[in-house]
């Protein structure tokens, strides 16, 4: 018999401080109808001794006839995630990887605090506003303040808006960009973005956890339920969120159940999929995972008249919520019952009356939302809240102690927020710009690392609660029927090569593609260089392969005049003859004083340059010449020990005897001096098998660097100028690396449409199944299968 005692009143009062914004109104009769009451659950052990299982709130749907719900119906609008991630993780979303400012100080009680401030866009409406986060031992406080171009906002005015006016030590700015790593750790104390839930299979009549955990196999209805929850994934080599499971040595089972729901990755610890031991009756390995889950689903077989589950059957001090699921084969429905430890604040959605679901997809939505909301609410209980506060206090004090030696150095100063030194001397302004660039670079690297390891608030991308950012990918041509081998942009259009239909020009609109070359021209690589009026392609394979060069203006005129589609035969005058048998080529994307091409013919490199024009214009020869072949000259040949798999040209700072070629073969990346042919080891790959993906040249402040991409790794290496005849390629503090969560097929940069001597916009695109994630480093595109 359920009864209401003062504890329930205390629980409802505590709920006013819970994570959910709309639960404060759930009082009295409403809460009893839809969230059950708090009761003391009693059970006995195998010897008949009475056990106290603690106090649990039992939700079993409203049975009150005066309820707004009619039996068998429920309001679909009640099913929504409470305290969604777009209300949290401000630092990750708005600050990390962007120019912002961080301050440290101590309040009147000598407790350290941190303040982060950024000028950002208000809800993508192009209205600037300040966002500020105050980090204190009691938690974080977030505030948005209007921006005024005529009134500079000071740090103290921001703190005053947060009801903080008295200080033991005034706030000073932290200029060290590494502070972003520490603040990201502070923010992660708010709770997990992804979730792990236990799933325990219980046969009819089983009353102890030893019996339930000892079920070696499930049942047909249980397998059906698991298929409804998510996908069965193989753990070995699994690159997504793993929820504490072993993805290398199969010590926690071979397979598991995984899904993504509204941007949250969910991994289920399924009892029948975790390792089973005939010798160990307690099944410690299974209890180790499910017993440490905050929320556990108990799938109990049998009808409602059979012995019912109680939380006292599970010996766990960590699990706070049990979701009891029963399947009725007669009407193909699921019944749900929720047990919540009494200290857990109320969380939605409320169960329907009766709590029976005949639509399986609606049941899945309801159950997953209930589980996620339940875990978020549990984090507000005194047990977790006090632990989180102690951890936050420890981290804040520890970070403050690390900063103490620098308090009187130049690392910390007292300049106001928004003071970007506009009136400062040129040298000081350059120094500030360099500091900000390094600050952004480190933040972006941290952001990508957080994304790759699965701790990013991906719900920001996939829930649809936020509008798309301008950098997110958009479909260009969703109905193109052919597989694209290679492509490059030409103006606002895309020039794409296919094996089945030749080379096509797509404008991204409803107009049909225009064929430029027929299928006899089998193009495998291409570059569109609009500023130089050039199209460079590598066509055919084996001994028939060649490099071809075309004038874009001639091709454009032919398309406008609707001339016949070009064939391989029509392109004979466009062949660079000495490139016969070429299997790979690369061009310099930095575009210094001249265009350079390196063509690989087996283990031989052929260096080609374009002659300097004698006058302004595209051609150094007589105007009107259809083919630009005569503009190219062959410089030298360089022999390698092995045929290269990947190549990139690197411009030296002077362009005289210091240009380089990066080549990848065997287990290494080498640098080749274009003038001498000398080779220098750049990077050795310590792996049994190597899948080289790309070597991409990156230029920053006139200095060259390389992104070396292979397997799941992308390694950034700064290439210093030659010191005499030897390049300085030792380890540098600017070197870093990151890992993809799946192996890309290609990473390529578009160079078309840019004026000479200019660098491309610096932005990096990472594409994966959960949505488009971005890392702003350099404008290159990543393609996965």
């Amino acid at each position: 018999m359920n009864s209401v005692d003062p504890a329930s009143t205390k629980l409802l009062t505590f709920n006013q401080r819970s994570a959910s914004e709309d639960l404060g109104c759930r009082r009295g009769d409403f809460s009893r109808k839809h969230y059950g009451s708090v009761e003391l659950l009693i059970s006995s052990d195998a010897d008949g001794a009475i056990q106290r299982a603690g106090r649990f709130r039992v939700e079993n749907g409203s049975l009150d006839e005066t309820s707004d719900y009619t039996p068998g119906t429920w309001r679909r609008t009640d099913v929504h995630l409470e305290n969604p991630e777009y209300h949290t993780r401000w630092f990750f979303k708005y600050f990390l990887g962007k120019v912002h400012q961080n301050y440290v100080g101590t309040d009147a009680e000598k407790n350290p605090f941190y303040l982060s401030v950024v000028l950002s866009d208000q809800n993508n409406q192009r209205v600037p506003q300040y966002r500020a986060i105050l980090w204190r031992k009691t938690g974080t406080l977030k505030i948005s303040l209007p921006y005024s171009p005529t009134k500079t906002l000071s740090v103290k005015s921001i703190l005053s808006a947060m009801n903080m006016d008295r200080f033991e030590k005034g706030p000073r700015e932290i200029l060290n960009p590494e502070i972003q790593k520490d603040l990201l750790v502070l923010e992660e104390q708010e709770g997990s973005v992804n979730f792990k839930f236990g799933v325990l299979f219980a046969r009819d009549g089983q009353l102890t956890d030893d019996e339930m955990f000892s079920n070696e196999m499930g049942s047909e209805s249980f397998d059906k339920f698991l298929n409804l929850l998510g996908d069965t994934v193989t753990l070995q080599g699994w690159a997504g969120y793993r929820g504490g499971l072993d993805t290398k040595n199969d010590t926690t089972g071979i397979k598991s159940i995984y899904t993504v729901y509204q941007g949250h990755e969910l991994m289920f610890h399924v009892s029948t999929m975790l390792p089973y031991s005939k010798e160990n009756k307690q099944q410690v390995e299974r209890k180790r995972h499910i017993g440490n889950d905050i929320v556990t689903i108990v799938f109990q077989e049998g009808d409602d008249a059979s012995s019912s589950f109680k939380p006292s059957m599970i010996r766990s001090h960590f699990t706070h919520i049990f979701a009891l699921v029963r399947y009725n084969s007669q009407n193909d429905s699921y019944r749900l019952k929720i047990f919540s430890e009494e200290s857990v604040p109320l969380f939605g959605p409320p169960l329907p009356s009766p709590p029976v679901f005949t639509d399986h997809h609606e049941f899945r939505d309801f159950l997953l939302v209930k589980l996620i909301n339940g875990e978020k609410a549990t984090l507000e209980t005194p047990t977790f809240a006090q632990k989180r506060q102690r951890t936050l206090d420890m981290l804040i004090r520890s970070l403050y102690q690390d900063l103490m030696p620098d308090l009187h150095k130049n690392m910390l100063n007292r300049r106001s927020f928004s003071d970007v030194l506009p009136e400062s001397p040129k040298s000081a302004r350059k120094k500030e710009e360099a500091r900000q660039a390094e600050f952004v670079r480190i933040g972006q690297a941290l952001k990508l690392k957080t994304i790759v390891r699965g701790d990013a608030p991906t719900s920001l991308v996939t829930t649809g609660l936020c509008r798309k950012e301008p950098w997110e990918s958009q479909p260009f041509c969703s109905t193109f029927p052919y597989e694209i081998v290679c492509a490059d942009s030409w103006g606002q259009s895309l020039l794409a090569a296919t094996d089945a239909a030749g080379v096509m020009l797509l404008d991204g609109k409803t107009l049909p593609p225009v064929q430029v070359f027929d299928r006899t021209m089998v193009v495998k690589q291409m570059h569109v260089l609009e500023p130089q009026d050039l199209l460079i392609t590598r066509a055919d394979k084996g001994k028939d392969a060649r490099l071809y060069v075309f004038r874009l203006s001639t091709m454009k005129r032919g398309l406008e005049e609707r001339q016949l589609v070009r064939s391989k035969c029509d392109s004979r005058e466009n062949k660079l003859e000495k490139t016969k048998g070429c299997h790979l080529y690369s061009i310099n994307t930095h575009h210094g004083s001249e265009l350079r091409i390196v063509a690989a013919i087996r283990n031989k490199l052929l260096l080609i340059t374009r002659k300097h024009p004698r006058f302004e214009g595209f051609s150094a020869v007589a105007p009107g010449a259809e083919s630009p072949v005569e503009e190219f000259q062959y410089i030298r040949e360089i022999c390698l020990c092995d045929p290269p798999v990947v190549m990139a040209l690197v411009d030296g700072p002077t362009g005289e005897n210091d240009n380089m070629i990066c080549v990848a073969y065997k287990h290494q990346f080498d640098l080749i001096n274009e003038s001498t042919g000398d080779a220098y080891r750049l990077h050795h790959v310590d792996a049994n098998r190597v899948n080289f993906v790309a070597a991409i040249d990156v230029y920053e402040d006139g200095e060259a660097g390389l992104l070396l991409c292979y397997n799941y790794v992308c390694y950034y290496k700064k290439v210093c100028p030659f010191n005499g005849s030897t390049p300085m390629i030792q380890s540098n503090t600017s070197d870093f690396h990151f890992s993809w969560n799946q192996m890309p097929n290609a990473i390529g940069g578009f160079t078309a449409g840019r004026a000479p001597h200019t660098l491309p916009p610096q932005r990096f695109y990472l594409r994966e199944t959960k949505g488009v994630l971005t890392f702003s480093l350099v404008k290159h595109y990543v393609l996965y299968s």
Side-chain angles (χ1 to χ4, degrees), residues 131-182:
R131 294 182 191 269
I133 306 175
L134 179 64
W135 318 81
R136 306 181 73 180
K137 72 173 187 178
T138 53
T140 58
L141 180 62
K142 300 162 187 174
I143 191 172
S144 296
L145 297 170
Y147 165 78
S148 173
T150 58
K151 183 180 179 182
T152 302
L153 195 65
S154 69
V155 177
K156 290 188 176 181
S157 63
I158 295 175
L159 290 172
S160 178
M162 294 176 159
N163 297 320
M164 193 170 177
D165 297 303
R166 298 175 57 204
F167 311 102
E168 200 266 336
K169 288 184 179 179
R172 296 183 178 182
E173 186 179 1
I174 308 170
L175 298 182
N176 188 345
E178 296 291 338
I179 188 65
Q180 297 173 94
K181 184 185 301 182
D182 299 299

Side-chain angles (χ1 to χ4, degrees), residues 83-103:
N83 187 28
E85 289 302 328
Y86 73 92
H87 281 164
T88 63
R89 300 296 177 104
W90 268 27
F91 189 74
F92 180 92
K93 181 183 179 185
Y94 298 112
F95 293 73
L96 194 60
K98 300 175 183 177
V99 176
H100 65 278
Q101 291 173 263
N102 301 291
Y103 299 85

Side-chain angles (χ1 to χ4, degrees), residues 321-351:
I321 296 171
F322 294 94
L324 180 64
V325 176
R326 289 182 182 272
Y327 175 70
N328 189 330
S329 58
Q330 294 181 352
N331 59 5
D332 192 27
S333 65
Y334 288 96
R335 177 179 284 269
L336 181 62
K337 188 176 184 179
I338 302 293
F339 298 88
S340 306
E341 205 274 335
E342 67 170 323
S343 62
V344 177
L346 298 180
F347 59 93
L351 267 65

Side-chain angles (χ1 to χ4, degrees), residues 360-629:
H360 294 182
H361 291 289
E362 286 188 348
F363 171 64
R364 179 182 186 270
D365 286 345
F366 188 98
L367 178 63
L368 294 183
V369 170
K370 190 72 171 175
L371 299 181
I372 294 173
N373 289 344
E375 179 155 330
K376 289 182 178 181
T378 303
L379 296 177
E380 299 298 322
T381 62
T383 301
F384 288 95
Q386 291 170 8
K387 181 180 178 181
R388 187 169 65 250
Q389 184 171 325
R390 287 196 302 269
T391 303
L392 191 63
D393 185 22
M394 179 192 69
L395 291 172
I396 288 176
R397 291 184 182 277
S398 175
L399 178 56
Y400 185 73
Q401 291 297 322
D402 293 339
L403 293 173
M404 281 292 288
D406 298 303
L407 281 176
H408 302 292
K409 295 181 181 180
N410 195 35
M411 172 188 162
L412 298 162
N413 64 15
R414 295 175 182 267
R415 65 188 176 97
S416 299
F417 180 68
S418 299
D419 181 6
V420 291
L421 310 179
E423 305 300 329
S424 60
K426 185 177 181 181
S427 59
R429 193 160 59 245
K430 279 192 172 183
K431 186 176 180 180
E432 172 68 10
E433 291 173 354
R435 185 194 71 83
Q436 289 186 0
E438 180 68 4
F439 193 91
V440 169
R441 186 190 70 80
I442 289 179
Q444 291 167 343
L446 281 170
K447 196 163 195 173
L448 181 67
K449 186 177 180 181
T450 306
I451 291 169
V452 169
R453 74 169 185 255
D455 291 336
T458 52
S459 57
L460 297 175
V461 176
T462 56
T463 55
L465 294 169
C466 303
R467 294 173 57 189
K468 284 190 174 183
E469 297 286 349
W471 46 261
E472 290 194 33
S473 64
Q474 302 292 332
F476 184 80
C477 182
S478 57
T479 59
F480 190 64
Y482 307 107
E483 183 177 350
I484 295 178
V485 177
C486 59
D488 204 348
S489 58
W490 184 4
Q492 300 299 314
S493 301
L494 183 71
L495 194 63
T498 70
D499 284 336
V503 179
M504 317 284 283
L505 186 66
L506 297 77
D507 65 358
K509 302 175 183 177
T510 57
L511 297 176
V514 177
Q515 192 173 26
V516 181
F517 295 94
D518 64 19
R519 58 185 300 176
T520 62
M521 193 72 170
V522 185
V523 175
K524 298 299 183 182
Q525 274 183 272
M526 72 164 63
H527 285 88
V528 176
L529 307 177
E530 289 187 81
Q532 303 191 37
D533 193 34
L534 279 180
L535 167 66
I536 305 173
T537 67
R538 175 173 64 85
D540 290 325
K541 60 182 179 179
K543 294 181 180 180
D544 295 328
R546 296 283 201 289
L547 290 190
Y548 293 78
V549 290
F550 303 89
R551 292 198 198 283
L552 292 175
S553 55
T554 301
M555 294 175 58
K556 183 177 180 181
R557 187 167 60 250
L559 292 173
E560 292 173 347
E561 296 174 359
R562 299 186 179 274
Q563 295 179 357
L564 293 176
V565 177
R566 280 176 173 262
S567 66
K568 179 180 176 182
C569 184
D570 299 328
S571 305
R572 286 176 296 183
E573 294 183 357
N574 299 87
K575 291 190 295 188
L576 295 178
E577 289 298 335
K578 290 188 179 182
T579 61
K580 181 178 180 181
C582 170
H583 71 273
L584 184 67
Y585 83 91
S586 181
I587 66 171
N588 59 324
T589 57
H590 193 40
H591 296 321
S593 58
E594 62 180 5
L595 171 67
R596 305 191 335 273
I597 305 174
V598 59
I601 307 172
R602 293 179 295 279
N603 65 331
K604 180 178 67 176
L605 299 184
L606 184 64
L607 187 64
I608 307 169
T609 63
R610 196 183 190 193
K611 298 174 184 177
H612 292 283
R614 293 192 299 266
F615 52 86
E616 291 296 325
F618 294 122
S619 177
V621 296
E626 292 293 327
S627 172
V629 167

